[in-house]
């Protein structure tokens, strides 16, 4: 290379772990996709954060110890079960963006994106069980 100016652009993805029993399921009708990993959404829901008390931990310095909660309510039974999912900020320092809008709490649907810190979470809700 010749002498001169050059730029380097890099991107790192935060490590994501789910050590809670709620995240150790084989199949689910709703799940969160975070940095290439899937985490099931089952009632009553999951808390996402950087701390050890979170159900799903993300090693991202822009995320609070308990950043957001995905609350799940199930209605019906068997193949007719319907899931309602709501995301709520838990008083985090940096807040969250849901589909590009800063909000404190909102109902989410299939395909909704939630950004906390530098991490994007995609909500997937299906009509049948999916391997996670």
């Amino acid at each position: 290379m010749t002498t001169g100016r050059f730029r380097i652009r890099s991107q790192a993805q935060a490590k994501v772990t789910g050590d809670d029993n709620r995240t150790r399921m084989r199949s689910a009708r709703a799940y969160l996709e975070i940095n290439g990993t899937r985490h099931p959404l089952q009632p009553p829901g999951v808390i996402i954060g950087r701390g050890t008390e979170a159900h799903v931990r993300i090693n991202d310095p822009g995320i609070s110890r308990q950043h957001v909660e995905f609350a799940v309510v199930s209605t019906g039974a068997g193949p007719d079960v319907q899931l309602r999912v709501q995301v709520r900020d838990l008083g985090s320092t940096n807040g969250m963006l849901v589909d590009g809008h800063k909000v404190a709490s909102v109902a989410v649907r299939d395909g909704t994106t939630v950004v906390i810190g530098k991490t994007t979470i995609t909500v997937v809700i299906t009509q049948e069980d999916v391997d996670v």
Side-chain angles (χ1 to χ4, degrees):
M1 292 179 69
T2 61
T3 304
R5 299 174 82 184
F6 62 94
R7 293 182 187 177
I8 297 174
R9 291 187 179 155
S10 67
Q11 183 177 355
Q13 288 188 339
K15 181 180 176 186
V16 181
T17 56
D19 293 335
D20 190 83
N21 286 337
R22 292 176 232 209
T23 63
R24 293 186 182 175
M25 305 189 74
R26 294 190 163 218
S27 64
R29 290 190 179 208
Y31 61 90
L32 302 174
E33 196 168 296
I34 311 168
N35 292 348
T37 62
R38 292 179 174 182
H39 303 273
L41 279 175
Q42 297 287 335
V46 296
I47 293 175
I48 297 178
R50 187 174 32 87
T52 56
E53 60 278 353
H55 303 128
V56 176
R57 292 194 313 260
I58 303 174
N59 187 17
D60 179 335
I63 295 177
S64 297
R65 288 187 301 260
Q66 288 190 352
H67 200 104
V68 296
E69 175 184 29
F70 284 87
V72 181
V73 176
S74 176
T75 58
D80 297 325
V81 70
Q82 296 291 319
L83 295 176
R84 289 192 328 249
V85 181
Q86 179 148 356
V87 63
R88 175 175 66 101
D89 188 292
L90 297 174
S92 66
T93 303
N94 297 320
M96 68 175 172
L97 294 175
V98 178
D99 290 334
H101 303 286
K102 189 165 188 153
V103 295
S105 181
V106 67
V108 295
R109 62 189 187 323
D110 183 43
T112 297
T113 59
V114 178
V115 177
I116 57 175
K118 293 186 183 267
T119 302
T120 300
I121 301 166
T122 304
V123 178
V124 179
I125 302 172
T126 66
Q127 295 301 317
E128 54 192 48
D129 286 349
V130 176
D131 290 340
V132 287

